[in-house]
Amino acid sequence: MQKSEYPGDVHLRNRATGNYDQRTSSSAQIKHSTTVQRSKSSSLTSSPEAARRVHPRPSDKLNPKTINPFGEQSRAPSAFAAIYSKGGIPCRLVHGSVKHRLQWECPPEILPFDPLLITLAEGLRETKHPYTFVSKEGFRELLLVKGAPEKAVPLLPRLIPVLKAALVHSDDEVFERGLSALVQLSVVVGPSLNGHLKLLLTSASLIVIKSKIPTYCSICC
C-alpha cells in the first residue's frame, strides 16, 4: 500500500530539484565560458608572430623589423632620382678600385646646359648613392667645358634658388656640396654672380651658412 504524499512534501521536493537544476546549469555555463576563453588564448598564441609578441626573443633587439623597399609604404623617388633612372642624365657612374668617375654618353662640350646644369644642381640635395656623386661630379665637370661661362650666365636666375636650397639644407654633406658648387660657379661666371648675391645670401641663409662651417664659409666669401 503506497503512502500518499502531502502537498507540502511535493512542494519541498520540487524546490530541491529546481535548486539542483539551477546549480547544474550554472556549473555548465561556467565550464563553457572557461573553455571558450582557453580556446581564444590558445588561438592568439598559436602563431609564431603572436608568440614573439608575448615572449620576445633577445635577438629581436639586434634585428629590428625593416621596411620593405618594394612595399606600398616606400617613399616615391625624388625628381632627380626619377630623371636619372630614366636616362635623363647623359652620364653613368663607373666604379673604380680607388675612386669613382663619370662616363659621359657624349662629350660634355656638346651638351646643352639647359636644363642639364639645373638638374644636376637639384641633385646636390640628394642624400643617397649614387645620386650624391653623380650630381656633384657632373656639375663640376660640366662647368669645366669650353664655353661654360656663356652657357651658365643665362641660367643664373634659375640656378641661384636651387643652390640656396642646398645651402640651407639640414644635412651637412648637402650643405658642403652646395657650397662647393657655388664656389665653382663663381669662378666660371665671375662678376655676373654679384647681382644675385642679394637673393642667395639672405639673413636667414647666412645664419645657417655661418653655423655650419665658419672657416670654410669665410674663405668662400
Side-chain angles (χ1 to χ4, degrees):
M1 180 177 179
Q2 290 183 343
K3 185 179 181 179
S4 61
E5 294 182 350
Y6 293 98
D9 296 337
V10 176
H11 179 69
L12 290 175
R13 186 173 68 238
N14 290 338
R15 288 185 59 185
T17 304
N19 292 337
Y20 174 77
D21 293 340
Q22 289 179 357
R23 288 196 300 270
T24 304
S25 177
S26 300
S27 177
Q29 291 178 356
I30 293 174
K31 289 182 180 180
H32 177 72
S33 177
T34 304
T35 303
V36 171
Q37 289 179 355
R38 288 178 180 176
S39 176
K40 289 182 179 180
S41 176
S42 175
S43 63
L44 288 174
T45 58
S46 59
S47 65
E49 185 67 25
R52 283 195 294 269
R53 288 197 299 266
V54 177
H55 303 289
R57 298 173 300 180
S59 60
D60 290 342
K61 296 182 179 180
L62 300 176
N63 301 291
K65 185 178 180 181
T66 57
I67 299 176
N68 181 9
F70 302 101
E72 295 180 357
Q73 72 276 15
S74 60
R75 187 177 61 178
S78 63
F80 181 85
I83 294 174
Y84 181 80
S85 300
K86 294 178 181 179
I89 310 296
C91 63
R92 283 295 177 267
L93 174 64
V94 178
H95 294 273
S97 57
V98 179
K99 63 178 183 179
H100 305 320
R101 65 181 180 87
L102 289 183
Q103 179 177 352
W104 295 88
E105 298 176 359
C106 59
E109 294 81 4
I110 65 175
L111 291 173
F113 276 30
D114 187 7
L116 181 56
L117 188 64
I118 299 174
T119 303
L120 291 170
E122 292 175 344
L124 297 173
R125 286 176 289 170
E126 294 290 335
T127 57
K128 295 182 180 179
H129 185 78
Y131 312 128
T132 53
F133 181 84
V134 171
S135 59
K136 177 183 177 180
E137 188 64 19
F139 190 88
R140 186 188 71 84
E141 293 186 11
L142 204 59
L143 288 178
L144 293 177
V145 303
K146 185 178 180 180
E150 292 78 11
K151 296 180 179 180
V153 169
L155 300 179
L156 287 178
R158 296 158 60 191
L159 272 174
I160 297 305
V162 178
L163 293 178
K164 180 180 178 181
L167 290 175
V168 298
H169 200 279
S170 59
D171 190 288
D172 289 345
E173 293 184 359
V174 173
F175 166 78
E176 292 181 19
R177 288 194 294 270
L179 193 59
S180 297
L182 178 60
V183 173
Q184 296 162 11
L185 183 63
S186 66
V187 172
V188 173
V189 301
S192 300
L193 186 62
N194 294 341
H196 302 275
L197 291 179
K198 184 177 181 180
L199 174 63
L200 182 64
L201 303 177
T202 60
S203 58
S205 61
L206 278 175
I207 292 175
V208 176
I209 292 172
K210 290 180 179 180
S211 66
K212 294 283 186 178
I213 312 175
T215 304
Y216 189 28
C217 291
S218 299
I219 295 174
C220 293
C221 291

